[in-house]
Amino acid sequence: MVRTAAVTRFMAGVLVIASAAACTSSAQPIAANKAKPLRPMSAAQLRTHLLPAILPKGWTSQADPADPGSGSAAKGEPRCAFLDGGDVADAGATAAVASATALFSGGRSAGGGAMAGAETLYSFSGDDAAQAMHRIRRLAAECAKVVTPALRSTLGADGSTNRFTAVPGPRLGDDSIRVRATTTWSNHPRMVQHDDALVVRESNTLIVLWCMPTTQAEVDTALSFIPEAVAQVRSQHPAPVDAAHRAAGS
């Protein structure tokens, strides 16, 4: 295919009574208490904050051994070459200095198989995480409708239309976005595939959850693990991510 510290300035007023006949006031500024910006996490550090191995309702998560790199948008790709909401989030995170990914699954899909999703954590320097959120919103607006025509040379290939929109996400972290994504096909106009993604900024880290193409109800189920994902990033002692981490901690 991952905080900005707020600076608050205070002015203190000191009232001095010079005499019963006259009074004056003077204000002396106090030095701004500027917090140090957080240092971005490495890919190895991000891995320890991925979703825990055991999730509610029998779902499981496993860290991807492959390092996806910083932003996953490939250079030279056509503009708006997005297939799902996760692609939009990834393209907005290209300024990340490190990332880590986990795959999770569980439940039962409409087709009888397990539902599946993925999580990617991105870490940034300075205020790049906040800028990434702006970029994700802008990309969703600029690429609101992407039409791919049918390939005449391929028998039975349908044209497709991908639609993207960025709406407010859950009240978690410093900022959140839900990238709503749908796909329809020219030969099956009533069939709608949902590919949403949730993005939460927690200081200088972006938490991205996305799901495999599925129904809206299954998308909502996969994305419902965002509170657990945010808790892992916030925690100083996150739950073990996979068997290797559990063995190391035992």
Side-chain angles (χ1 to χ4, degrees), residues 82-85 88 140 143-146 162-166 179-181:
F82 305 138
L83 297 177
D84 52 44
V88 178
C143 304
K145 183 178 180 181
V146 181
N162 296 86
R163 290 181 170 83
F164 304 100
T165 183
V179 181
R180 293 195 178 277

Side-chain angles (χ1 to χ4, degrees), residues 55 142 194 246:
L55 292 167
E142 292 176 351
H194 296 268
R246 289 199 301 273

Side-chain angles (χ1 to χ4, degrees), residues 23-92:
C23 63
T24 59
S25 64
S26 62
Q28 298 179 351
I30 295 178
N33 181 20
K34 186 174 183 179
K36 292 182 178 179
L38 291 178
R39 184 176 297 177
M41 286 189 278
S42 66
Q45 290 171 319
L46 288 172
R47 275 179 63 90
T48 67
H49 289 275
L50 289 165
L51 280 166
I54 305 301
L55 292 167
K57 300 179 181 179
W59 285 61
T60 58
S61 176
Q62 183 174 2
D64 190 335
D67 181 0
S70 341
S72 67
K75 296 186 182 302
E77 280 188 346
R79 184 171 180 78
C80 296
F82 305 138
L83 297 177
D84 52 44
D87 284 345
V88 178
D90 291 340

Side-chain angles (χ1 to χ4, degrees), residues 16 42 47-48 66 81 91 98 166 182 200 226:
V16 179
S42 66
R47 275 179 63 90
T48 67
T182 60
V200 173
I226 193 66

Side-chain angles (χ1 to χ4, degrees), residues 8-204:
T8 309
R9 303 180 181 275
F10 296 95
M11 297 294 293
V14 179
L15 181 64
V16 179
I17 302 178
S19 66
C23 63
T24 59
S25 64
S26 62
Q28 298 179 351
I30 295 178
N33 181 20
K34 186 174 183 179
K36 292 182 178 179
L38 291 178
R39 184 176 297 177
M41 286 189 278
S42 66
Q45 290 171 319
L46 288 172
R47 275 179 63 90
T48 67
H49 289 275
L50 289 165
L51 280 166
I54 305 301
L55 292 167
K57 300 179 181 179
W59 285 61
T60 58
S61 176
Q62 183 174 2
D64 190 335
D67 181 0
S70 341
S72 67
K75 296 186 182 302
E77 280 188 346
R79 184 171 180 78
C80 296
F82 305 138
L83 297 177
D84 52 44
D87 284 345
V88 178
D90 291 340
T94 51
V97 299
S99 63
T101 295
L103 306 177
F104 59 95
S105 62
R108 279 288 176 266
S109 70
M115 291 180 276
E119 174 194 28
T120 300
L121 300 180
Y122 291 106
S123 188
F124 297 81
S125 297
D127 68 346
D128 285 350
Q131 294 304 315
M133 297 294 277
H134 292 310
R135 180 168 167 75
I136 291 168
R137 289 184 171 97
R138 187 172 70 249
L139 287 171
E142 292 176 351
C143 304
K145 183 178 180 181
V146 181
V147 178
T148 303
L151 299 176
R152 295 181 180 179
S153 60
T154 304
L155 184 63
D158 297 346
S160 63
T161 300
N162 296 86
R163 290 181 170 83
F164 304 100
T165 183
V167 300
R171 294 184 177 181
L172 294 169
D174 300 306
D175 189 10
S176 68
I177 301 169
R178 180 163 183 153
V179 181
R180 293 195 178 277
T182 60
T183 304
T184 54
W185 291 269
S186 57
N187 290 359
H188 305 279
R190 295 185 179 181
M191 182 183 297
V192 181
Q193 174 179 291
H194 296 268
D195 311 274
D196 293 7
L198 271 182
V199 187
V200 173
R201 180 175 72 83
E202 180 68 22
S203 188
N204 64 344

